[in-house]
Amino acid sequence: MLFVRSKEIDKIKKLPLLNKGASYTLNKWNGMATSTSNTKNAKIAETGQARVIIIGGGFAGMELVKALRGADLQVILIDKQNFHTFQPLLYQVGTAAVEADSIIYPFRKIFDEQQNFYFRLAEVQSVDTVNQLVETSIGLLRYDYLVIATGATTNFYGDEVMQKNAISIKNIQDALALRNTILSNFEKALQIDDEEQLNSLMDYVIVGGGPTGVELAGALSELRKHVFPRDYKELDFIKMDIYLIQSGDILLKGMSAEASQKARDYLEKFGVKILFNRKVKAYDGYTVTLDNGEKLITRTLIWAAGVTGAPVAGIRKESILRGNRLQTDEYNRVAGYQNLFAIGDIAAVVTPEHPEGHPMLAQPAMQQGKLLGQNLKKLVKNQAMRPFHYHDQGTMATIGRNQAVADLKIFKKEFKTQGFIAWFIWAFIHLISILGFRNRLFVLVNWMGSYFTYDKGIRLIVGQSKENIPVEAVTEKAVG
């Protein structure tokens, strides 16, 4: 182990590339830097400009990078993936409506003409806010301004068994695993005679009555009605049950009462069994146990019951609020820091109007990213920054073909609509928001094909599916 005195740390921070073959972990408690010889250092040359490091390429991070185009700053984006994911359509990948590559787009392609932009594929392990260093899986990076835009991850509320057995839908890998699982279940069901085993493969339980849960339930009901009976003629799809479990007494909490009721009407019309005021107590991969003692049998439980922030190690605990969100001021500056910012789902911009922060949606994230870009430009010029004010443009959710709900805010006036008009607005806004002309075209073609043929064309099993207990093992045990 090599120890470097604290007075030498400034020299380390100024090096364009730290000593080759070594990585440094700085200990803020004793002012020393510890070196190991197993990890290479991140190789990004200094440009003489102040350096902004952005952790996370979601909606917030993307808007920030765009806003910093042409700025006298070196902009570095770090993400575990080399692409941006249009998360609102993940459920459509999971239910075979669109291809996975239609809703993702490479960062390098998006910003290929932005001269001050640098990207590194890496996982951030921790930050040293005292010495202004980010430790990643490819080494250390120095920063002048650090922006955390890591978003949120699925919240299993500490239930490790649930986390192991359930399927979440927060990234493209989750969506593909869901699609593979759904299709694999029916392939296996063709070989099953036992009634309970058959039902365990054909029944689905969705936990959470927010937009994701409602949209998934609607998409599955469309597959049950229009697609699966043609693909799997030997199966009786009257036996396919879709359960939506909601802990409260309404769907789409946060939207209007009209939207909530209409979503419920649509789903019940589609044959979705909604269980209100119920919580899932346990799920072992086969049996779902509710808090009232009721049990459901399914091999596929989709968890859409909540999210939690994904903070980076090294941030002072006093700055982390309930839900693992980082408390920021009105300039998105993390509480207790001067050059550390947070935007998007991870950020809780606490104001009298929003004491718990803004909703964890795309619009607040995008608005925060855009404004922070403008503020960072002001900051390097010693100009006053502008405070963040969220402009709520409304919320939408689609339930199925020609069925959606929308609460819109246009010119400070509220408009509520349901049915075909809401569905058309939802489709138009999502389509134009997808990155890349090719992606928009492919999604549009898939949607049009599905609309006119009642078909879902992306029914491919590629990669891994979720199998908690092998069907054969349970069947053999029952027979034995």
Side-chain angles (χ1 to χ4, degrees):
M1 305 293 281
L2 172 68
F3 295 99
V4 184
R5 295 186 182 277
S6 58
K7 67 181 182 179
E8 295 178 300
I9 288 175
D10 287 339
K11 295 180 181 179
I12 294 174
K13 289 162 54 179
K14 294 176 181 177
L15 289 174
L17 175 63
L18 300 181
N19 291 345
K20 187 175 181 180
S23 79
Y24 295 81
T25 303
L26 288 111
N27 190 324
K28 64 182 178 180
W29 301 114
N30 58 22
M32 309 293 280
T34 304
S35 167
T36 61
S37 58
N38 297 325
T39 306
K40 294 189 297 183
N41 294 290
K43 186 178 179 181
I44 301 181
E46 299 277 358
T47 62
Q49 300 166 302
R51 176 179 281 185
V52 179
I53 293 182
I54 305 164
I55 305 174
F59 288 112
M62 291 286 291
E63 287 299 317
L64 174 55
V65 174
K66 291 178 186 177
L68 291 175
R69 181 172 183 170
D72 187 22
L73 292 163
Q74 184 183 28
V75 181
I76 300 173
L77 175 65
I78 303 174
D79 199 284
K80 294 184 291 185
Q81 310 287 351
N82 74 334
F83 53 81
H84 169 76
T85 303
F86 189 70
Q87 288 189 322
L89 293 185
L90 279 173
Y91 84 96
Q92 293 212 356
V93 174
T95 53
V98 299
E99 294 103 330
D101 61 357
S102 294
I103 67 166
I104 59 178
Y105 207 74
F107 292 122
R108 296 186 185 278
K109 178 66 175 175
I110 299 168
F111 302 112
D112 60 350
E113 296 182 358
Q114 188 163 330
Q115 296 301 314
N116 66 343
F117 172 76
Y118 298 77
F119 173 73
R120 287 298 183 269
L121 180 68
E123 185 166 358
V124 172
Q125 297 163 342
S126 65
V127 298
D128 183 332
T129 58
V130 174
N131 298 290
Q132 298 182 198
L133 293 167
V134 179
E135 184 178 10
T136 77
S137 55
I138 60 171
L140 290 179
L141 281 169
R142 182 198 65 80
Y143 68 85
D144 294 291
Y145 304 100
L146 178 62
V147 182
I148 298 178
T150 47
T153 186
T154 305
N155 190 359
F156 290 98
Y157 304 98
D159 190 335
E160 295 181 0
V161 177
M162 180 68 69
Q163 184 172 353
K164 175 185 175 182
N165 295 323
I167 296 179
S168 60
I169 187 163
K170 284 297 293 179
N171 54 50
I172 201 70
Q173 292 84 358
D174 291 340
L176 287 171
L178 176 59
R179 187 185 76 188
N180 292 337
T181 301
I182 292 171
L183 298 175
S184 295
N185 282 353
F186 291 111
E187 295 293 343
K188 295 172 185 175
L190 293 170
Q191 306 302 318
I192 300 296
D193 293 323
D194 181 80
E195 191 73 16
E196 182 177 302
Q197 297 304 314
L198 187 63
N199 286 335
S200 74
L201 290 164
M202 295 183 66
D203 292 354
Y204 291 84
V205 174
I206 302 167
V207 184
T212 300
V214 166
E215 290 173 343
L216 276 168
L220 278 173
S221 67
E222 286 197 322
L223 287 169
R224 177 179 59 183
K225 181 177 181 180
H226 300 297
V227 178
F228 290 153
R230 289 185 292 180
D231 279 2
Y232 307 100
K233 300 179 181 65
E234 301 96 317
L235 298 176
D236 181 5
F237 281 90
I238 293 178
K239 297 178 180 179
M240 178 181 171
D241 292 323
I242 303 169
Y243 292 92
L244 179 60
I245 301 175
Q246 169 65 344
S247 59
D249 55 3
I250 60 171
L251 299 176
L252 300 176
K253 183 179 178 181
M255 293 190 70
S256 66
E258 294 92 331
S260 175
Q261 183 59 49
K262 205 66 177 178
R264 176 177 181 172
D265 294 342
Y266 288 148
L267 288 176
E268 289 179 342
K269 178 183 176 182
F270 294 159
V272 176
K273 299 180 179 180
I274 308 173
L275 304 182
F276 288 105
N277 298 307
R278 297 282 190 277
K279 292 183 179 180
V280 175
K281 187 177 180 181
Y283 176 57
D284 62 5
Y286 186 76
T287 303
V288 181
T289 304
L290 304 182
D291 56 353
N292 65 345
E294 185 179 354
K295 296 183 184 296
L296 305 172
I297 301 297
T298 183
R299 293 181 179 277
T300 309
L301 183 145
I302 306 169
W303 187 266
V307 294
T308 183
V312 177
I315 305 298
R316 60 198 291 268
K317 293 182 179 179
E318 293 81 1
S319 301
I320 303 176
L321 301 179
R322 195 176 68 126
N324 282 331
R325 301 178 78 183
L326 300 180
Q327 180 179 352
T328 79
D329 62 15
E330 57 192 345
Y331 306 106
N332 282 101
R333 189 166 41 200
V334 177
Y337 299 95
Q338 290 300 311
N339 62 343
L340 175 61
F341 300 84
I343 53 177
D345 290 352
I346 188 65
V349 186
V350 178
T351 65
E353 298 81 15
H354 299 275
E356 296 183 0
H358 299 92
M360 299 167 81
L361 300 171
Q363 278 301 318
M366 295 170 71
Q367 292 176 27
Q368 288 173 11
K370 184 176 181 179
L371 180 64
L372 181 57
Q374 297 170 1
N375 279 337
L376 286 175
K377 291 179 181 179
K378 293 177 180 293
L379 198 58
V380 296
K381 296 177 181 179
N382 293 318
Q383 297 176 354
M385 295 189 293
R386 287 174 46 215
F388 175 73
H389 296 290
Y390 174 43
H391 301 288
D392 187 0
Q393 298 175 342
T395 310
M396 297 178 290
T398 181
I399 294 89
R401 176 189 175 88
N402 296 338
Q403 311 292 345
V405 294
D407 294 342
L408 306 176
K409 295 184 179 180
I410 305 173
F411 301 116
K412 297 183 179 181
K413 293 184 179 180
E414 296 185 2
F415 298 89
K416 301 172 185 176
T417 182
Q418 301 90 37
F420 176 79
I421 295 176
W423 176 82
F424 182 82
I425 294 171
W426 178 94
F428 176 77
I429 290 177
H430 282 71
L431 189 64
I432 64 173
S433 300
I434 296 172
L435 291 175
F437 174 78
R438 171 193 172 278
N439 286 4
R440 294 190 197 103
L441 179 61
F442 275 47
V443 170
L444 178 61
V445 169
N446 283 325
W447 283 354
M448 290 180 65
S450 175
Y451 188 85
F452 290 110
T453 66
Y454 291 88
D455 194 13
K456 305 286 184 183
I458 322 300
R459 300 192 297 281
L460 304 172
I461 302 173
V462 181
Q464 298 296 315
S465 60
K466 185 82 170 181
E467 186 174 42
N468 295 309
I469 305 172
V471 176
E472 296 80 5
V474 178
T475 304
E476 290 173 4
K477 183 178 180 181
V479 173

